[in-house]
Amino acid sequence: MRFLGIDLGTASLKLAIVDGDGHERAAAAAAYAIETPQTGWAQTPVDAWWRALVEAAAQLPADERKAVCAIGVAGQMHGVVLVDEAGRAVRPAMLWPDTRAASLMDAWPEPQPNPVAPGMAGPLLRWLVLNEPRTAADTRWALQPKDWLRVALGGAVVTDPSDACATALADASGAWDFARIEALGLPPAWFVPSERHSYARAGALSAEAARVLGLRAGIPLAAGAADTASAALGSGLSRDGDALVTTGSGGQIVVLSAGEPAPARGLHRYRTATGGWYRMAAMQNVGVALETVRAWLSYPSWTEAYDEAFACGVNDTAPTFLPYLTGERSPWMNPAARGGWLGLSLADTRGTLMRSAFEGVAFSLRAGLDAIRADADVDADADADANVDASASAAVDVHTLRLAGGGSVDARWRQLLADSLDAELEALVCPNVAARGAALIAGLAHGHWREADLPALAPPAVRVAGPRGDATIARRYARFLDLYGCTERWFGSGAA
């Protein structure tokens, strides 16, 4: 018995086949590019996603594919795919780093159920109806990326709460806000039904998709989940306060919550794959920023970039780097934020520039984590003022995080993260946690597992780094925050 998980990421698609005991049997991946035909745009033709799926599937052993008895799909959050009545995309998918709708954020005045960013489905769709009326006229459904892929596999036209709640068009629970949708001039018929759980059955694999992918036709497809919710599931997060940091194109810090968290500026409160809740700080500029800097500095390989960067000793006068090349979400919620180095001298080399880029990305993650920590303190104080037991709220203060993501392998980078975050890091012995989570969702949809079985399926994690109380890092983090404050006034807050 095998379960296939598909993770439709921003820059690559990953597959994982998990057996009935929760062990990964095979994995594969294929990459694609983000297109930027105009400044601020970020999009990908869906044909590139399908080609990547076919390419990755061909890498999996044929006997493992034939044993698959259910499929789960996870996908990048916030973006949107417009399709016609036949399910064909009518334009390239618009993605979460996209800022074309930054001038339209006045339609989401505070307070909102969650912070709103230009790359979410709501602002992107508002931009579309104003600027591409012919595309809008050809559209039948506005789908989240993973929902498009499931439909392409032969599945039902539905979504799930973990994705719907992050569109800026639904309440915090994931129920569509049709009053807001109509006020924005969007057709309510674009928005598909939302299943109660990510593991609800949502159709079956078509004969054509089965033939192309080497799978058995007719096996069930789960509704699937947003990639962050799937990663939390695949990482084994199960208790209040369990925390995960992921470092991919963007970065996320996810902390499970026993109940619905209170709203907090710069932080998201989203639904898990099993109907629970998590707090999240979402940072847009992690791998995106580091890949860009490596290209700017002409490093031929990541090995050379790491070696030169971490050969440089850190000191108080080293350059400071702001990584905000695509604006930023947590904690600033500022699409106008921009990046760069300050404090350069003639003594600096590309190694010092690369080192400060790693540091700047680590500090941006710390700013997001500090927002969660501050939110925990506020919750605990509010409970104490109300003469309520504050232990549950205080428990979300984060001292240990599980670590996942393709950009978190180098031991020197991990140590910098631990020092910057002031937290213990436990690396998951599983490189594809979102794809693994999607496979577990498939197993739930099949009926092989129940929710109560999930904690026992957690992958192992190994402590890889801990904070050393580095005073220089602490001072440089304070300098980083001060520099952002100066540039926010320079570029404008742009806050939603």
Side-chain angles (χ1 to χ4, degrees), residues 279-297:
R279 286 176 175 86
M280 182 177 74
M283 286 60 64
Q284 293 196 171
N285 299 273
V286 177
V288 165
L290 293 176
E291 285 278 8
T292 301
V293 170
R294 183 175 76 92
W296 284 343
L297 299 178

Side-chain angles (χ1 to χ4, degrees), residues 1 93 118 140 142 172 194 234 236 253 295 305 307 319 353 386 395 425 459 479 490:
M1 184 173 290
R140 174 61 184 88
S194 181
I253 296 173
D307 288 346
L353 296 181
L425 296 181
R479 180 180 180 178
W490 186 9

Side-chain angles (χ1 to χ4, degrees), residues 112-201:
Q112 293 293 323
N114 273 296
V116 181
M120 293 179 174
L124 291 173
L125 291 173
R126 188 178 185 222
W127 180 92
L128 184 117
V129 297
L130 293 173
N131 292 276
E132 294 185 5
R134 293 186 62 179
T135 301
D138 291 340
T139 296
R140 174 61 184 88
W141 292 293
L143 303 178
Q144 293 289 279
K146 69 98 170 51
D147 296 325
W148 172 83
L149 185 55
R150 188 193 56 256
V151 170
L153 290 169
V157 184
V158 298
T159 192
D160 82 300
S162 74
D163 244 349
C165 71
T167 59
L169 295 169
D171 65 22
S173 72
W176 295 120
D177 183 347
F178 285 108
R180 177 174 298 279
I181 286 169
E182 292 185 8
L184 292 169
L186 306 179
W190 281 2
F191 300 93
V192 301
S194 181
E195 295 286 356
R196 182 181 177 189
H197 292 304
S198 300
Y199 54 80
R201 290 199 180 195

Side-chain angles (χ1 to χ4, degrees), residues 39-343:
T39 301
W41 289 27
Q43 57 188 44
T44 300
V46 296
D47 289 349
W49 291 345
W50 185 260
R51 287 194 299 270
L53 174 61
V54 174
E55 178 185 340
Q59 299 172 37
L60 299 172
D63 59 335
E64 293 289 343
R65 279 182 279 164
K66 288 298 183 183
V68 168
C69 52
I71 300 173
V73 183
Q76 55 183 290
M77 298 171 72
H78 309 308
V80 66
V81 184
L82 288 305
V83 301
D84 62 18
E85 188 73 42
R88 296 183 296 260
V90 297
R91 70 171 326 283
M94 297 185 285
L95 311 181
W96 59 268
D98 199 301
T99 59
R100 74 183 77 186
S103 65
L104 304 176
M105 304 304 292
D106 58 329
W108 285 267
E110 296 291 353
Q112 293 293 323
N114 273 296
V116 181
M120 293 179 174
L124 291 173
L125 291 173
R126 188 178 185 222
W127 180 92
L128 184 117
V129 297
L130 293 173
N131 292 276
E132 294 185 5
R134 293 186 62 179
T135 301
D138 291 340
T139 296
R140 174 61 184 88
W141 292 293
L143 303 178
Q144 293 289 279
K146 69 98 170 51
D147 296 325
W148 172 83
L149 185 55
R150 188 193 56 256
V151 170
L153 290 169
V157 184
V158 298
T159 192
D160 82 300
S162 74
D163 244 349
C165 71
T167 59
L169 295 169
D171 65 22
S173 72
W176 295 120
D177 183 347
F178 285 108
R180 177 174 298 279
I181 286 169
E182 292 185 8
L184 292 169
L186 306 179
W190 281 2
F191 300 93
V192 301
S194 181
E195 295 286 356
R196 182 181 177 189
H197 292 304
S198 300
Y199 54 80
R201 290 199 180 195
L205 186 67
S206 71
E208 178 58 20
R211 182 189 65 79
V212 172
L213 301 175
L215 300 167
R216 290 183 292 130
I219 59 177
L221 300 168
D227 58 355
T228 303
S230 186
L233 182 66
S235 301
L237 272 59
S238 60
R239 299 171 300 176
D240 182 43
D242 282 355
L244 172 72
V245 55
T246 62
T247 56
S249 298
Q252 297 83 32
I253 296 173
V254 173
V255 183
L256 289 196
S257 177
E260 179 180 356
R265 176 167 175 76
L267 297 177
H268 304 271
R269 51 190 179 124
Y270 288 154
R271 305 306 302 270
T272 69
T274 54
W277 295 87
Y278 64 92
R279 286 176 175 86
M280 182 177 74
M283 286 60 64
Q284 293 196 171
N285 299 273
V286 177
V288 165
L290 293 176
E291 285 278 8
T292 301
V293 170
R294 183 175 76 92
W296 284 343
L297 299 178
S298 300
Y299 279 109
S301 71
W302 272 110
T303 298
E304 291 183 58
Y306 280 118
D307 288 346
E308 285 195 14
F310 288 101
C312 301
V314 63
N315 59 69
D316 287 329
T317 62
T320 297
F321 178 71
L322 294 180
Y324 304 130
L325 307 184
T326 66
E328 191 50 285
R329 287 167 61 187
S330 299
W332 318 122
M333 296 310 300
N334 184 2
R338 291 295 179 264
W341 287 271
L342 190 66

